[in-house]
Amino acid sequence: MSVYTASTTAPVNIATLKYWGKRDKTLNLPTNSSISVTLSQKDLRTLTSAACSETFKEDRLWLNGKEESLSSERTRACLGDLKKLRSELEAADASLPKLSTYGLHIVSENNFPTAAGLASSAAGFAALVVAIAKLYKLPQDMSELSKIARKGSGSACRSLFGGYVAWEMGDQTDGEDSKAVEVAPLGHWPGMKAAILVVSDDKKDTPSTSGMQLTVATSDLFQHRIKDLVPKRFVEMKESILNKDFPTFAELTMKDSNSFHAVCLDSYPPIFYLNDTSKKIIKLIHKLNELEGEVIAAYTFDAGPNAVVYYEEKNESKVLGFLYKVFHQVEGWKKQEVPSTLNFEFDDQLYKGVSKVILTEIGPGPQETEESLVNELGLPK
Amino acid sequence: MSVYTASTTAPVNIATLKYWGKRDKTLNLPTNSSISVTLSQKDLRTLTSAACSETFKEDRLWLNGKEESLSSERTRACLGDLKKLRSELEAADASLPKLSTYGLHIVSENNFPTAAGLASSAAGFAALVVAIAKLYKLPQDMSELSKIARKGSGSACRSLFGGYVAWEMGDQTDGEDSKAVEVAPLGHWPGMKAAILVVSDDKKDTPSTSGMQLTVATSDLFQHRIKDLVPKRFVEMKESILNKDFPTFAELTMKDSNSFHAVCLDSYPPIFYLNDTSKKIIKLIHKLNELEGEVIAAYTFDAGPNAVVYYEEKNESKVLGFLYKVFHQVEGWKKQEVPSTLNFEFDDQLYKGVSKVILTEIGPGPQETEESLVNELGLPK
């Protein structure tokens, strides 16, 4: 029995211009273009192995050590597209094994807790698509594959690239022009760092898929956001990245996070992702920038209370010293130098709202790996 | 020595279509029209006595038992306008005493704690203007006087009327058409009730005067709110009041509160008035309406975390029974009947975020009163 296998890792990405709203729910076509920074896989990544064999009767999936149903339409859409591309290769070259007709085993693991609300579905679908594309030896490039990952989870398409990535919304109804593209590679502006403050929350508000559709359907301010604001910001943010202009990039990032949460609040019933801890972190970052007299740090919040703070490596000691003063009791980081002259007013209980600090940085796209999660039988190790 | 005195009471009003943004800071001219419900003075009112005498050398002001400086430009603008109107009367009729040249003593008291963030400045400026207008025997009607109160505190102009009140923004640069008018008198729809949940907060965010100007200057979504959304809502909300259509009135009220807080969040740096307790109250009211299968209660939040919940008298037992289940430990209200069948999920610690419940209802405008806060010398009793 031949078992074919392939493995890849894929990164998490955190949007700096937010994706919020679908114009097509099945194809995951967005109502606006978005931009993200891909984060280092040292800290956050999904490792996925794909295996197929003539003897596998069905497609199976294991996530973080547990077999999961493959009934999700989104996953099935990805597998369907990948098998179709493989079958086209096989039709063109009869010597190829008919992998497209075999059952698929997919085994996937994150190196971080899924529950933390850290965009794990983006890394997950990106890794799934890339691992199978590799298994199938598909010739499509990352932008092409990103359209498949997009059907799994919209923001997953951006995890097909490293560095600075745009998801161009496109305007075709079939979604063929709604894909990820590189704005700038990692090497263009490599010093981008991120401090993730994992915020404890008693209960997550509306899941993002239903939340964004509620916003599309009910928020009066939303139409203005997607028609007038985001298109302009999309151009300006790409330019700020190409110019390595951190203050502009940071201000656009913070404003877009606020604008996204504003349209959530303007939904009916309103959706709240920021909690009191998130709001105090926002105030802190503005305070840091005010104390420094320039914008050296930017917060952004996805559909949850966790803060991602972007900053440049050259300002690391300033940013981490400031944050350490407030959050030194929190696990996940080593002691940072706090200047003895650093004095500002803050809630000395605020650290209790943060369960973990993750220090990371910009990183590359999906990576080759020698690790494999499947054994010679094509089953989880 | 003759001491002339006059006293009045004036109510608090809570906007259902929010005033947020000035187009003229000195004249307090707003960027949009607004609508409010005037609340009963049994629970919340300011009592103001004004006195003048030829022997009073200067204008003096006592608030809640303490003499305050009269240097505030806003108060001076009100006094200036009132004295000018009086001097016109005196010029036309030489037999009138020259009250406009006398010093004024103003003594004012609230029947509720100022600190609670309950629109005390609206009642305060309304009472000040009406008391002095009465002292001066000015012939101007309430809409005319509302333009003077507006210069003291924008929303004060709406406290010149009872029932349902609109503040028409006007478009003249001198503000002469920016005034309060009656949408419908108290008697038109008398069953409007309000439950105020006073929410504890560690620190107030930006004061509303500077907050609204920050929003005007920095929020991209704000322009859409004032140009496209509020003008439409203003017409619809007046209509819902004239039709006594509670579900429509309630939905517009909730949406406008959310929209106002959304543009606060979209300001840069963002402004937050809702805290985690406020957000949970919002969710509760949506839950109540969902359980009832119709909209019987509406929340609204001003520039602070306090919730005002409007409902109709006919639904009082449903609304208060529901709220009592969650907030029965809070002071300020008597036992309410909670149906034994009423079951829903809620945070059983939520009541700790609420310091007081005030049950009140729609009420009349400024009232004649026999109470006086000044003695025969024109000094505070």
Side-chain angles (χ1 to χ4, degrees), chain B residues 181-379:
Chain B
V181 297
E182 184 184 87
V183 173
L186 175 53
H188 166 73
W189 194 8
M192 187 65 70
K193 296 271 188 170
I196 303 174
L197 306 174
V198 180
V199 172
S200 334
D201 208 18
D202 42 355
K203 206 177 150 190
K204 189 169 158 54
D205 205 297
T206 326
S208 59
T209 303
S210 51
M212 60 175 79
Q213 287 323 95
L214 183 66
T215 302
V216 172
T218 62
S219 167
D220 295 308
L221 297 172
F222 176 73
Q223 292 302 324
H224 184 53
R225 168 172 164 78
I226 60 167
K227 282 184 197 148
D228 305 326
L229 305 181
V230 175
K232 188 162 169 277
R233 240 173 231 157
F234 184 68
V235 172
E236 292 170 350
M237 191 179 280
K238 283 200 291 188
E239 200 174 88
S240 73
I241 291 168
L242 295 175
N243 295 336
K244 294 178 255 186
D245 172 358
F246 187 84
T248 302
F249 172 76
E251 190 171 315
L252 292 168
T253 295
M254 292 187 275
K255 285 185 170 176
D256 199 68
S257 175
N258 296 336
S259 164
F260 151 50
H261 291 282
V263 298
C264 288
L265 171 47
D266 187 54
S267 306
Y268 189 79
I271 305 164
F272 302 101
Y273 293 121
L274 304 175
N275 66 18
D276 285 351
T277 302
S278 314
K279 295 190 285 183
K280 286 176 181 171
I281 293 170
I282 288 175
K283 301 259 170 213
L284 275 179
I285 298 302
H286 282 286
K287 171 57 77 179
L288 165 63
N289 290 331
E290 184 193 314
L291 289 173
E292 293 294 331
E294 59 177 332
V295 179
I296 66 167
Y299 55 79
T300 188
F301 294 81
D302 278 347
N306 296 333
V308 175
V309 179
Y310 285 116
Y311 59 93
E312 286 183 288
E313 189 167 23
K314 66 179 181 190
N315 292 315
E316 181 144 58
S317 64
K318 289 177 186 170
V319 175
L320 296 189
F322 179 90
L323 290 177
Y324 198 74
K325 191 170 167 90
V326 184
F327 298 109
H328 59 89
Q329 301 95 327
V330 179
E331 68 159 298
W333 57 347
K334 65 177 179 25
K335 188 170 163 54
Q336 307 288 330
E337 200 65 47
V338 181
S340 59
T341 53
L342 180 63
N343 269 305
F344 58 95
E345 216 183 300
F346 64 93
D347 173 359
D348 64 5
Q349 301 298 301
L350 181 55
Y351 75 90
K352 292 182 180 169
V354 175
S355 60
K356 196 176 179 185
V357 176
I358 300 170
L359 299 183
T360 185
E361 61 193 0
I362 192 166
Q367 297 290 294
E368 295 281 333
T369 178
E370 291 180 4
E371 278 186 90
S372 176
L373 296 171
V374 292
N375 62 22
E376 63 282 1
L377 298 173
L379 288 167

